[in-house]
Amino acid sequence: GQSLEQPSEVTAVEGAIVQINCTYQTSGFYGLSWYQQHDGGAPTFLSYNGLDGLEETGRFSSFLSRSDSYGYLLLQELQMKDSASYFCAVRDRSGGYQKVTFGTGTKLQVIP
Amino acid sequence: DTAVSQTPKYLVTQMGNDKSIKCEQNLGHDTMYWYKQDSKKFLKIMFSYNNKELIINETVPNRFSPKSPDKAHLNLHINSLELGDSAVYFCASSQAPGGYTFGSGTRLTVV
């Protein structure tokens, strides 16, 4: 089966940089995604890494190392509105179809 | 112009009742999903349909029955509701290899 590990909570200061790590165990791995969810809201897609390396989208970057079964989400120039839960999610093959399994989420609190 | 819309947004009902949640997507995606998010925010897949065909059916009580009349719709019917069914249920759609687009969620409270 699959397993994903990410920190449960992270606190960072406004304007700073924060890195949220994710390690995973799965077979038939395709890629790693990141989602943001504000309290009371729906998860929204942030990024997808299918290959090793860094993907950058504005203030957010995501990294994947397939050999280490590890990835991270990097948030720069933190803003108060970045306070949310962040989920890593692995896309893998299960029963002949691709499936996405979510981690337990990291609650990021940005403080002034 | 909501991409994935699900109704109702809130649902409060008594134990033993039967209820349905509806979901529609206008993105032209082939695959739709139902996820359950519990009070600890754990997102767990329940079902997945690809072009109206059930492709993922996780270990879910058979009181839960999905139905996809066409690839733009995926409904969830729940029989004999139990207290433990209280959660937020999210519908989502995707077109591989892209990310998922989630609906706004249905907060189900069973009393």
Side-chain angles (χ1 to χ4, degrees):
Chain A
Q2 308 98 340
S3 70
L4 296 99
E5 286 191 22
Q6 54 181 127
S8 58
E9 292 183 359
V10 172
T11 300
V13 178
E14 190 177 14
I17 299 172
V18 71
Q19 178 174 312
I20 300 173
N21 298 322
C22 175
T23 57
Y24 60 86
Q25 283 187 322
T26 187
S27 54
F29 176 82
Y30 281 101
L32 188 71
S33 303
W34 288 91
Y35 289 79
Q36 177 193 62
Q37 185 180 28
H38 287 99
D39 283 346
T44 56
F45 173 73
L46 293 177
S47 68
Y48 176 74
N49 293 71
L51 301 173
D52 285 358
L54 194 67
E55 295 280 343
E56 297 179 71
T57 309
R59 294 187 297 114
F60 293 3
S61 303
S62 58
F63 172 82
L64 175 66
S65 169
R66 296 171 71 111
S67 59
D68 295 323
S69 298
Y70 163 77
Y72 65 72
L73 179 69
L74 191 74
L75 295 84
Q76 302 182 69
E77 300 171 20
L78 279 171
Q79 301 175 8
M80 298 300 290
K81 68 178 182 179
D82 297 330
S83 293
S85 293
Y86 292 84
F87 294 86
C88 60
V90 291
R91 181 188 291 272
D92 62 7
R93 197 156 191 86
S94 171
Y97 291 94
Q98 292 189 27
K99 186 173 80 168
V100 171
T101 302
F102 287 79
T104 50
T106 299
K107 189 173 179 69
L108 170 65
Q109 183 181 12
V110 180
I111 57 176
Chain B
D1 286 15
T2 307
V4 180
S5 59
Q6 55 182 107
T7 55
K9 193 169 175 64
Y10 300 96
L11 189 51
V12 181
T13 187
Q14 290 187 327
M15 271 176 30
N17 283 352
D18 304 338
K19 290 293 178 187
S20 292
I21 307 171
K22 294 186 175 182
C23 179
E24 176 181 3
Q25 56 99 0
N26 63 5
L27 298 166
H29 288 169
D30 288 335
T31 311
M32 295 185 72
Y33 312 83
W34 279 110
Y35 276 82
K36 178 181 179 181
Q37 188 170 45
D38 61 23
S39 57
K40 294 184 179 177
K41 292 211 147 186
F42 181 51
L43 266 167
K44 183 171 172 53
I45 189 167
M46 300 173 69
F47 302 103
S48 175
Y49 272 74
N50 183 270
N51 271 320
K52 302 193 299 175
E53 178 190 351
L54 179 66
I55 57 172
I56 294 174
N57 183 353
E58 291 294 291
T59 309
V60 176
N62 56 16
R63 298 182 294 104
F64 290 79
S65 52
K67 184 169 277 189
S68 181
D70 54 62
K71 80 170 194 177
H73 295 83
L74 179 61
N75 304 322
L76 183 66
H77 188 75
I78 316 170
N79 289 328
S80 303
L81 278 155
E82 300 177 357
L83 292 177
D85 297 332
S86 295
V88 181
Y89 292 84
F90 285 101
C91 176
S93 72
S94 74
Q95 188 76 9
Y100 286 15
T101 303
F102 282 84
S104 57
T106 296
R107 184 173 294 276
L108 171 66
T109 304
V110 182
V111 298

